[in-house]
Amino acid sequence: MPEDNVDKPNMATCTAPVNIAVIKYWGKRNEDLILPINSSLSVTLHQDQLKTTTTVASSRSFQEDRIWLNDKEEDISHPRLQSCLREIRRLARKRRSDGEPGVDMTALSHKVHICSVNNFPTAAGLASSAAGFACLVYTLARVFGVEGELSGIARQGSGSACRSMYGGFVQWIMGRREDGKDSLAQQVEPETHWPELRVLVLVASAERKPVGSTSGMQTSVQTSCLLKHRAESVVPGRMEEMIEAVRRKDFTTFAELTMKDSNQFHATCLDTYPPIFYLNNVSRQVIGLVHRYNRHYGETRVAYTFDAGPNAVIYTLQEHVAEFVQVVRHLFPPETNGGQFINGLPVNNAVLSEELKQAVSSEPIPKGISYIISTKAGPGPRVVDDPDQHLLGSDGFPKKSV
Ligand code: DP6
């Protein structure tokens, strides 16, 4: 390395996607290693609409590891951040001792600065920890010259993050080993497999922050026998059916399993003691609307799923997007002077027939949904090559614009 470069940080910037499960992960058998009680399956959303961007720099001049998240310095001593840092460094050391090329020998002992931002409001209540930890692990690996299977490390940041390490349709195989080495994510089909599939995130105007998923699922494991039944007797069969539905692009089966699994997850929340409520009145109205819409056509055209919050995520096919969005507008009249109601992939206008309006109508809830993000399945984490996109300056500190 030339003399004048000796203090210049080694830097990488990457992006990673959000994923939305259609077979939910809920409950751990090991809290430290983040090992789940059941397998799960998700769709990786397109990063044009939702992504985390992370820059990691390592330099011998850094005194300590530091992290800035969405403009604010955060505590790096958080155990899950520490797990990811420790595991990447361990892997780098192992690769080096195995004599693998590409591992930066000097960087191993250096401290890192990490800077991360989301291109969507954290307040939207979307599972940002999945994209966040996936991006962190992917970028750290780049800086330390580590390649290969990384989902087992992302999992130790946040369970669902392991599924954000791949694009398209991804399963997280629960594994059986005590050390968690077989609890990994695996791509079922790439994002190009089902191009007609569309995703609409209906961002509900949430009033308060619900119980976090980490503590929520802990209480569920301790108290819900429905959760035990779900993990042991329902999910294994559902995983097989879901993988098959994805492979065959069988929307009806995919949609029905998605809705049933979301409903069962929320039933286990109600079976938790004290109970946890993630769905609110708007969520329940969306559920009713989807069923009335499907019933009107006598086929399953649209599916909903909900995570640990009131936002509905809708899966449908491209041909139904415009009409369904119009139906949502009809039931949840948007704020007229507010921001844009539809964001992301363009949605055409549609005119609703009187019969359809009649069939789906119920009492309108003005402003119940703040906005919609229209998106589709997308690729896994990516390296950003343009150095102008680094979130850290050459001094290793967040750039002003960050
Ligand atoms: C409802 O991955 O956020 O979104 O592993 O404790 O970080 P931790 O939990 P997290 O849980 C996600 C739960 C879910 C369902 C899912 O994504 O499968």
Side-chain angles (χ1 to χ4, degrees):
M1 196 182 279
E3 195 53 36
D4 59 342
N5 260 351
V6 108
D7 283 331
K8 208 165 166 249
N10 172 18
M11 210 181 283
T13 299
C14 302
T15 63
V18 166
N19 73 77
I20 299 293
V22 289
I23 303 288
K24 304 293 185 192
Y25 146 56
W26 196 252
K28 298 181 185 67
R29 63 178 198 278
N30 180 317
E31 292 282 333
D32 299 325
L33 291 170
I34 311 199
L35 302 177
I37 59 169
N38 62 259
S39 295
S40 54
L41 195 145
S42 57
V43 179
T44 295
L45 304 192
H46 205 289
Q47 295 180 52
D48 282 354
Q49 280 73 48
L50 300 160
K51 71 174 174 210
T52 297
T53 304
T54 302
T55 298
V56 174
S58 83
S59 164
R60 71 165 193 184
S61 67
F62 295 164
Q63 305 292 308
E64 52 185 350
D65 293 330
R66 294 176 74 172
I67 187 164
W68 292 264
L69 299 180
N70 294 313
D71 292 342
K72 208 171 141 270
E73 181 157 18
E74 299 286 346
D75 185 4
I76 192 94
S77 71
H78 191 288
R80 290 171 168 206
L81 284 171
Q82 287 299 318
S83 296
C84 293
L85 278 164
R86 188 188 60 236
E87 291 307 310
I88 288 284
R89 284 179 168 133
R90 195 207 302 276
L91 202 57
R93 224 170 286 123
K94 184 175 175 304
R95 302 242 160 165
R96 189 177 65 169
S97 60
D98 291 350
E100 285 205 27
V103 179
D104 185 341
M105 320 264 273
T106 45
L108 266 175
S109 58
H110 294 169
K111 300 294 183 198
V112 292
H113 283 187
I114 302 161
C115 187
S116 192
V117 294
N118 296 332
N119 72 343
F120 54 93
T122 316
L126 297 158
S128 55
S129 70
F133 277 105
C135 206
L136 171 72
V137 168
Y138 197 80
T139 318
L140 281 171
R142 188 87 190 160
V143 164
F144 287 111
V146 173
E147 279 167 10
E149 162 52 46
L150 296 167
S151 76
I153 302 182
R155 188 201 74 227
Q156 294 177 60
S158 183
S160 56
C162 72
R163 298 185 313 237
S164 277
M165 297 302 278
Y166 298 97
F169 302 81
V170 184
Q171 62 169 325
W172 172 12
I173 299 167
M174 63 177 285
R176 298 277 166 200
R177 285 172 57 145
E178 292 276 307
D179 64 6
K181 292 232 158 43
D182 57 353
S183 186
L184 302 171
Q186 197 178 72
Q187 187 175 64
V188 172
E189 291 288 352
E191 61 276 15
T192 48
H193 170 70
W194 199 350
E196 303 81 19
L197 190 71
R198 285 287 178 279
V199 183
L200 300 168
V201 184
L202 312 189
V203 180
S205 334
E207 325 85 63
R208 61 188 175 88
K209 199 179 160 7
V211 178
S213 34
T214 305
S215 71
M217 67 176 83
Q218 216 166 2
T219 319
S220 296
V221 168
Q222 285 158 6
T223 62
S224 168
C225 50
L226 178 57
L227 180 63
K228 194 170 149 55
H229 167 71
R230 162 180 167 72
E232 286 171 6
S233 309
V234 181
V235 174
R238 240 173 221 180
M239 282 293 291
E240 279 181 29
E241 284 179 69
M242 186 58 103
I243 289 171
E244 202 37 42
V246 167
R247 294 230 156 100
R248 283 188 285 116
K249 297 190 266 183
D250 170 355
F251 185 76
T252 306
T253 307
F254 172 86
E256 288 178 9
L257 284 171
T258 296
M259 291 187 277
K260 285 181 178 174
D261 203 72
S262 173
N263 293 341
Q264 189 176 68
F265 154 50
H266 291 279
T268 68
C269 292
L270 190 60
D271 190 47
T272 298
Y273 193 80
I276 306 168
F277 306 96
Y278 289 122
L279 306 180
N280 65 15
N281 187 38
V282 171
S283 321
R284 284 185 286 271
Q285 289 294 335
V286 171
I287 293 175
L289 174 67
V290 166
H291 286 293
R292 289 196 299 277
Y293 184 77
N294 289 338
R295 196 181 320 124
H296 174 73
Y297 285 108
E299 64 177 20
T300 309
R301 294 189 172 187
V302 175
Y304 54 78
T305 186
F306 298 83
D307 285 336
N311 296 335
V313 176
I314 300 290
Y315 286 101
T316 187
L317 296 173
Q318 191 174 8
E319 58 190 302
H320 306 310
V321 167
E323 187 180 77
F324 187 73
V325 164
Q326 195 52 39
V327 165
V328 171
R329 249 187 228 280
H330 182 68
L331 193 63
F332 302 97
E335 219 168 346
T336 42
N337 57 351
Q340 223 171 292
F341 190 56
I342 308 284
N343 297 269
L345 294 177
V347 175
N348 293 333
N349 287 325
V351 180
L352 306 183
S353 68
E354 282 311 314
E355 300 83 68
L356 179 57
K357 278 193 208 164
Q358 205 72 50
V360 297
S361 77
S362 71
E363 196 58 41
I365 309 178
K367 295 180 252 173
I369 289 170
S370 332
Y371 60 95
I372 298 180
I373 304 168
S374 154
T375 187
K376 59 182 182 181
R382 288 280 186 262
V383 176
V384 178
D385 286 318
D386 178 5
D388 288 347
Q389 303 293 314
H390 288 325
L391 303 174
L392 296 166
S394 53
D395 60 353
F397 283 84
K399 287 180 182 171
K400 286 281 174 291
S401 59
V402 172

